[in-house]
Amino acid sequence: MNYRHIYHAGNFADVLKHAVLARLVTYLKQKDKAFRVLDTHAGIGLYDLSSEEAQKTGEWRDGIGRLLADPVPPAVAPILAPYLEAIAALNPEGGMAHYPGSPKLTRLLMRPQDRLSAMELHPDDYETLHRLFDGDYQSRITELDGWLALGAHLPPKEKRGLVLVDPPFEEPGEYERLEKGLAKAYRRFPGGTFCLWYPLKQGAPIAEFHENLTALNIPKMLCCELTVKSDRGTTGLTGTGLIIVNPPFTLKSELDVLLPFLKDRLKQDRFASARAIWLRGEERDLPEDDDEA
């Protein structure tokens, strides 16, 4: 209950997460049929980057601030367009006064037939989020532990949708909780797209996490990671990762263009890196010593 995203809004992790989220929502819009986005850890929805909290850490300056400091190359611009157009809509006078959280970003991209269900447990953040969407018939805001939504709110009645799971990772065992949450949610909604966020930092059990996800035997599972600096000498966030289940068929090739750009634009030292790999799928990336065909 101590985590408040206002301190981190617009940082490098948000840039990757929200750029991918915008691509996923854009892909869902290719079909006329309605879809629902379920956001399990929604936050307050919209962040004032001039606030005392945002200014205290200034993390947005090394994230969205750097991204917008110079023009985006032509090869990358179409991939980032939905994300950056949503941000521009919130800042009509230019600059970066306001940054959208995942529910606001999703809502800006939705069509009239689409729906948003956003969960937030922190009572103050829930009230702020509820006020932001007050009167919006396309959005349902619920004060609820987002982990519970993976059972109670799936499958959506629209039968098409995206589930974003973006927990704060403040308690031990969150990687295991994410694995179990995905397993439960996928059983209920195997045709849905899932986007799971996780932190990269010193000591994080990433290899084990990936192995356990692979063992779930979900057919299509894509992983993308961005590290902006070395984890030596720090216990804080040095990178960010996403697991995308049932990704759009174009997403891997888009990430192969986007990630090198983000690595170069957002790197904080020479140890920055980025990768997009299949954990499971027709093009699953295998270790060099793996004998599978």
Side-chain angles (χ1 to χ4, degrees), residues 1-252:
M1 297 292 286
N2 293 324
Y3 176 84
R4 306 298 295 279
H5 194 68
I6 182 60
Y7 292 100
H8 314 289
N11 68 1
F12 71 87
D14 267 2
V15 169
L16 177 60
K17 175 177 61 184
H18 291 153
V20 171
L21 174 62
R23 297 306 305 164
L24 296 175
V25 173
T26 299
Y27 182 82
L28 285 169
K29 294 196 296 183
Q30 291 183 4
K31 295 183 179 180
D32 291 337
K33 189 177 179 182
F35 62 81
R36 183 174 295 269
V37 175
L38 176 63
D39 191 335
T40 64
H41 299 76
I44 64 173
L46 183 63
Y47 298 92
D48 179 359
L49 297 183
S50 67
S51 68
E52 180 181 351
E53 296 91 343
Q55 291 293 320
K56 183 176 182 180
T57 61
E59 289 188 20
W60 67 272
R61 294 188 178 91
D62 282 331
I64 188 61
R66 282 197 188 189
L67 182 66
L68 297 178
D70 294 300
V72 174
V76 181
I79 300 172
L80 286 176
Y83 170 53
L84 296 183
E85 287 170 4
I87 291 174
L90 293 173
N91 297 278
E93 297 181 0
M96 269 305 307
H98 299 97
Y99 185 82
S102 51
K104 184 64 175 179
L105 175 62
T106 298
R107 185 64 186 88
L108 288 168
L109 295 171
M110 282 166 42
R111 305 164 302 179
Q113 66 266 43
D114 305 321
R115 298 294 184 267
L116 168 68
S117 293
M119 317 296 159
E120 178 53 49
L121 182 60
H122 192 290
D124 293 339
D125 287 357
Y126 162 75
E127 290 296 336
T128 301
L129 184 67
H130 188 269
R131 287 195 300 271
L132 180 65
F133 288 96
D134 187 33
D136 181 357
Y137 74 93
Q138 290 184 243
S139 303
R140 177 181 297 176
I141 312 302
T142 307
E143 187 174 4
L144 180 71
D145 183 345
W147 295 110
L148 300 177
L150 295 177
H153 289 258
L154 293 176
K157 66 179 182 180
E158 292 82 3
K159 307 302 181 185
R160 297 183 67 227
L162 165 65
V163 180
L164 175 65
V165 187
D166 179 21
F169 275 83
E170 281 201 320
E171 299 178 4
E174 290 284 67
Y175 290 94
E176 294 83 358
R177 201 174 186 183
L178 198 55
E179 297 157 16
K180 293 178 180 178
L182 174 60
K184 176 174 68 174
Y186 184 80
R187 285 194 298 269
R188 296 183 64 90
F189 189 32
T193 298
F194 296 83
C195 184
L196 318 177
W197 179 83
Y198 60 96
L200 300 178
K201 55 185 179 180
Q202 189 177 64
I206 302 304
E208 180 183 359
F209 176 56
H210 286 176
E211 289 174 4
N212 292 341
L213 288 173
T214 302
L216 296 177
N217 290 320
I218 294 172
K220 295 284 188 178
M221 191 179 300
L222 182 63
C223 164
C224 67
E225 294 180 339
L226 171 67
T227 298
V228 298
K229 62 181 178 180
S230 169
D231 62 7
R232 294 182 179 181
T234 179
T235 57
L237 189 71
T238 57
T240 181
L242 295 171
I243 300 294
I244 304 101
V245 172
N246 294 331
F249 74 95
T250 57
L251 186 61
K252 174 63 163 63

